[in-house]
Structures are given as C-alpha cells and as structure tokens.
C-alpha cells in the first residue's frame, strides 16, 4: 500500500472496472497512483488485462458478408404469417405515369378494337345523361386520355386492373388519388360529346 | 448484407412513416439496423442460426410495438433491449445444459483457420477459443449482456442501464462482477500450474461472497 487513501484490497476491488476504463475520473487517478508504487497490484492488473483481452478477442465483431441475405425477407414473411402485413405492400407508392402505362395501353387497344367490331351491347347500352350528383365523387389525379368503358369490353381487364365502375360513359379514364380505386368519371352531356368525337376518330361508332 | 449507414430519413422519421403504414419505411429501418441486432445476438447466444432467428424475432416484435415507441429515446436503445431480452430468455432456457467442457457437437462452427498458421497453432487457437467460450457460457445472462454491450458495442453504462432496465449503479456492479467472474474462470482454465502468483490480498469471487450488491433495478 503506497497511497494513503486506497489500500490494496480497495484497489483490487476496483481493478475490474479500472481495466476497462470504467471508473470515475477521481477513482481512476487514485488507483493509478497506487499502482505506480505497488508491484503486487500491478500483477493483478496484468492478469485482469489478459482476461479482458481474451474476452474481447473472442467477441465476433464481423459483419455479415455482402452476399449474406438481409433479414428483411424473413422478417416480412414472419409479419405476413402473423397477419401483420398484407400482400401486396400495405402502402403503395403513388402511381406515376409509368406505372399506368400498361393500363393505358390496354385501354387504347380496346378503343381500337371498338372501331373494328360492333359490340352487341352498344345499341341498348349507349349512355344517357347520368345524374352525377347521385354518384360518389372521384378525386382525379391523372387523366389518361379518351377511352371506352373497358369493363364492357373485357371482364378480364376488370378483374385484373382493380378498377371499380361507378357509372359509365364515353369519357376519359381517370386515375383516382393514391390508395383509391380508379373510377370512371360521369360527366354532363356537354362533356360527353367531345369525348365521343375523339372516340369516333379512333373508330368508335 | 452490408451495413447501411444512417443516411436519408432519421430513425424517428422512419418510425413515424411506418406507424402511418409504410412498409418501405419499416424495411429501411430493418436494413439499417439488422447488422447491429445480429452482432449482439451472435455474441449472446453464440449459435449463428439461433442468433439469426432471434434478430428476426426482435424486428417482428419491434413492428408489433411500433405504436408504443417512445420518441424521447433512440430507436437503437429499444432495439438493443428487445434483442437482449430475447437472448436472456434463450440463455435461461438453455442454461442447464451449459458445461465448462468444449461442446463436441459444435466442432467446426468457428472459423479458426488462419492463412499461414501452422496446424499446431490452429489447434492451440481452437483450444483457446473453446476455453474462452466455456468461460462466457458460465456467466449468468445478465452479466453476459452487460459485458457484451459494453465491450462489443462500446456503450456507456448509462445507456446500458436504459437498455437493460436497471440503474447505472447496478450496471456497473454487473460489469465489475462479470469481469471478475470471467477472470477467475479463465485463470482456472489456464491451469493451476500456469497460474501466476496471486496478490496476498486478492480474493476470488464466490457465489456466497457479500460484495456490495446494489438493489437490482
């Protein structure tokens, strides 16, 4: 014992924290002072350092290699299995023009087909003037241009596109706001006529 | 699986977006912190497959409790807490099987081969790893947790206290006692013949020892 404030048992008790630099500043200074003059305690410190080095050296600090799979797919699968996520993604990014291109292309194709064949339901199902106030409002996000009612032309498209029909008219296919279904907008007669003219140009009768 | 640096939105922003239903935000959170979770898990439960399962389960629990996240704290504190709690549960279930002997069925689990190393050196190194591992296995889970968080993650005792739900004093006590227990076990394994002369006033930690133990917090 060389320091008046600390005895050897005091220092030995503090060595496990001293060795990892986990003592408060004042304690650390006192222990350091004692160690500078006490060979027995220094030997104990050396043993503590060796043991700590063995522990620290054993720790696996490696990161996973670049080829190792992320945890995410397994986490997502676990969440799906517990019903905490739904398939597909619970929140979809807002549909941009590129995402809607296939749908627009299908719609254009249907317009073209409409010009080649007369659909049997055209005559009796031609739109009248619909009271749009009685139907749900549609939040318009994007105008895809003039098309015919794809629901009539292709039940398959109706199933696969997820579109929801709230009425019908020869008008413009409108993509609703993100998160909502796309819908047909019902328009007054004045607006239908220009649309019909467009469709006639595409071969619609 | 490369470590994703914390660029772009902060953890709290991602959590808010995930709370609002954004799966992409939660995915970003997982990818950002998966290495951290996996690293801690691997050093607590040793078996890489168990560690992976544990880290995966931790993120599922994070998702389940996302609504209750306390924005006054860091996300990592919460994640560490979930990982360590799961690890402690795993270790407690496994504890009766722990032995000081090197587990035979885990031979080859450790990547011990080092380029340019002589076979005898490889064996010696393997023996050392087995001994260290046996010593760690003998530590009670709450000692091991504190030591791993301190020595592996470099977290201060105050942060560890928040993670393990204990007081700062308790954490320091666990760190002190864990290191001492490990050292005693390590010295014992090195063999009595090779053991250096001990300080006349030095004592080994015994279970019955009345070390000033703070109230477990």
């Amino acid at each position: 014992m060389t320091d008046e404030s600390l005895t050897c048992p005091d220092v030995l008790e503090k060595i496990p924290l001293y060795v990892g630099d986990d003592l408060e500043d004042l304690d650390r200074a006192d222990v350091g002072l004692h160690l500078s003059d006490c060979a027995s305690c220094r030997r104990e410190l050396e043993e503590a350092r060796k043991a700590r080095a063995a522990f620290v050296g054993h720790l696996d600090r490696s990161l996973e290699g670049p080829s190792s799979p992320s945890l995410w797919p397994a986490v997502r699968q676990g969440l799906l299995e517990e019903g905490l996520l739904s398939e597909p993604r619970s929140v979809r990014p807002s549909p941009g023009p590129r995402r809607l291109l296939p749908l627009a292309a299908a719609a254009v194709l249907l317009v073209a087909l409409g010009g080649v064949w007369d659909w049997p339901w055209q005559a009796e199902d031609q739109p009248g003037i619909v009271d749009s106030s009685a139907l749900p409002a549609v939040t318009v996000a994007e105008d895809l241009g003039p098309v015919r009612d794809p629901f009539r032309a292709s039940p398959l498209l109706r199933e696969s596109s997820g579109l929801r029909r709230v009425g019908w008219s020869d008008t413009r296919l409108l993509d609703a706001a993100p998160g909502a279904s796309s819908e047909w907008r019902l328009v007054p007669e004045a607006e239908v006529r220009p649309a019909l003219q467009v469709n006639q140009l595409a071969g619609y009768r | 699986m490369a470590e994703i640096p914390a660029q772009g939105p902060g953890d709290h922003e991602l959590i808010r977006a995930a709370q609002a239903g954004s799966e992409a935000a939660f995915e970003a959170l997982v990818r950002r912190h998966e290495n951290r979770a996996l690293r801690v898990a691997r050093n607590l439960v040793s078996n890489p497959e168990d560690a992976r399962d544990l880290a995966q389960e931790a993120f599922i629990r994070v998702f389940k409790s996302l609504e209750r996240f306390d924005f006054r704290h860091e996300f990592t504190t919460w994640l560490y807490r979930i990982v360590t709690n799961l690890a402690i549960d795993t270790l407690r279930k496994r504890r009766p099987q722990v032995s000081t002997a090197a587990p035979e069925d885990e031979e080859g689990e450790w990547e011990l081969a080092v380029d340019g190393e002589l076979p005898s050196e490889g064996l010696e190194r393997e023996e050392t790893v087995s001994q260290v591992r046996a010593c760690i296995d003998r530590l009670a889970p709450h000692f091991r947790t504190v030591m791993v968080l301190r020595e592996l993650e470099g977290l201060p005792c105050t942060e560890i206290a928040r993670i393990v739900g204990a007081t700062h004093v308790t954490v320091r006590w666990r760190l002190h006692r864990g290191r001492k227990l490990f050292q005693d076990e390590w010295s014992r394994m090195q063999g009595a013949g090779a053991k250096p002369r001990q300080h006349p006033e030095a004592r080994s930690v015994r279970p019955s020892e009345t070390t000033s133990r703070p109230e477990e917090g």
Side-chain angles (χ1 to χ4, degrees):
Chain A
M1 186 179 69
T2 56
D3 184 75
E4 287 184 2
S5 60
L6 287 180
T7 63
C8 285
D10 289 338
V11 169
L12 294 175
E13 188 63 21
K14 292 178 189 296
I15 278 180
L17 292 179
Y18 181 85
V19 75
D21 201 17
D22 292 303
L23 284 178
E24 305 294 339
D25 289 348
L26 197 59
D27 271 352
R28 189 170 61 242
D30 286 346
V31 171
L33 190 63
H34 179 98
L35 288 168
S36 64
D37 282 337
C38 181
S40 297
C41 286
R42 281 202 303 274
R43 277 197 297 275
E44 289 299 321
L45 174 64
E46 193 54 33
E47 289 306 305
R49 280 187 172 146
K50 284 180 188 171
R52 179 169 180 260
F55 179 88
V56 171
H58 171 82
L59 295 172
D60 181 1
R61 296 168 191 276
S62 64
L63 297 174
E64 298 289 292
S67 59
S68 298
S70 165
L71 284 176
W72 171 245
V75 170
R76 185 168 192 275
Q77 186 59 36
L79 294 172
L80 284 171
E81 286 170 4
E82 294 199 32
L84 299 168
L85 278 184
S86 56
E87 191 84 75
R89 284 175 175 248
S90 54
V91 173
R92 302 180 205 179
S94 175
R98 289 172 67 92
R99 293 170 61 89
L100 293 168
L101 278 178
L103 187 60
V108 168
L109 179 64
L110 289 169
V111 169
L113 287 173
V116 178
W117 293 292
D118 278 338
W119 299 98
W121 56 75
Q122 278 183 351
E124 67 231 47
D125 266 357
Q126 275 292 359
I129 303 304
V130 181
D131 179 12
S132 59
S133 63
L135 294 160
V138 176
T139 304
V140 175
E142 186 171 358
D143 188 339
L144 294 179
V147 292
R148 290 182 59 209
D149 182 348
F151 294 161
R152 293 175 176 281
S154 169
L156 181 63
L157 177 63
R158 178 177 54 213
E159 293 300 320
S160 62
S161 68
L163 295 178
R164 183 162 60 90
R165 184 182 180 219
V166 295
W168 70 279
S169 169
D170 282 312
T171 179
R172 302 173 81 81
L173 178 62
L174 301 167
D175 181 46
S181 298
S182 297
E183 294 172 303
W184 288 92
R185 184 176 60 155
L186 295 173
V187 295
E189 185 178 19
E191 289 183 38
V192 170
R193 291 190 184 283
L196 280 172
Q197 288 168 5
V198 172
N199 286 339
Q200 282 165 350
L201 289 175
Y204 180 83
R205 282 196 303 130
Chain B
M1 183 166 56
E3 184 112 44
I4 297 179
Q7 294 172 343
D11 289 347
H12 285 188
E13 286 177 74
L14 289 175
I15 292 168
R16 284 195 177 90
Q19 285 176 337
S22 170
E23 183 187 321
F26 187 67
E27 177 182 352
L29 204 59
V30 172
R31 290 188 187 276
R32 181 179 290 174
H33 294 289
E34 59 187 1
N35 279 330
R36 189 189 307 271
L38 203 50
R39 188 171 56 225
V40 171
R42 283 174 70 167
N43 282 284
L44 286 174
V45 301
S46 300
N47 182 305
E49 287 181 11
D50 287 350
R52 201 169 174 82
D53 289 347
L54 193 155
Q56 179 186 325
E57 176 62 23
F59 281 112
I60 290 174
R61 292 198 180 192
V62 165
F63 187 89
K64 285 178 178 174
S65 306
L66 215 50
E67 291 300 321
R68 298 199 299 274
F69 178 72
D70 185 346
F71 285 96
R72 290 173 300 177
H73 298 135
E74 294 296 322
F75 172 71
T76 49
T77 303
W78 190 38
L79 179 63
Y80 279 133
R81 177 180 292 190
I82 293 173
V83 170
T84 54
N85 282 344
L86 284 169
I88 287 171
D89 287 347
T90 303
L91 291 170
R92 282 180 177 154
K93 285 175 193 163
R94 199 192 284 170
R95 194 157 173 75
Q97 300 168 1
V98 167
S99 157
T100 52
E104 290 177 11
D105 59 343
E106 290 172 357
E107 199 173 7
E109 185 181 321
W110 299 89
E111 295 293 336
L112 297 169
V114 177
D115 288 342
E117 190 177 61
L118 294 171
S120 60
E121 290 172 335
L123 288 172
E124 193 175 321
R125 183 176 156 81
E126 185 175 356
E127 175 67 16
T128 302
V129 169
S130 295
Q131 287 180 346
V132 171
R133 188 168 180 191
C135 291
I136 292 176
D137 280 347
R138 289 187 62 82
L139 291 174
H142 55 284
F143 292 138
R144 197 188 307 193
T145 299
V146 168
M147 288 176 73
V148 165
L149 290 174
R150 180 75 187 106
E151 306 286 22
L152 178 73
E153 298 296 289
L155 299 177
C157 289
T158 47
E159 173 75 0
I160 297 172
R162 281 193 287 271
I163 291 167
V164 301
T167 64
H168 175 236
V169 175
T170 297
V171 167
R172 281 167 56 86
W173 178 81
R174 287 181 188 173
L175 188 60
H176 173 282
R177 184 138 174 120
R179 280 183 182 148
K180 187 66 182 150
L181 284 165
F182 179 86
Q183 183 184 343
D184 285 354
E185 193 64 23
W186 174 244
S187 299
R188 190 184 67 76
M189 280 210 175
Q190 295 300 294
K195 195 172 180 180
R197 189 160 50 99
Q198 201 174 35
H199 192 294
E201 305 214 41
R203 296 181 306 163
S204 292
V205 176
R206 294 185 301 273
S208 58
E209 189 179 24
T210 55
T211 306
S212 55
R213 175 178 175 164
E215 199 68 29
E216 288 286 332

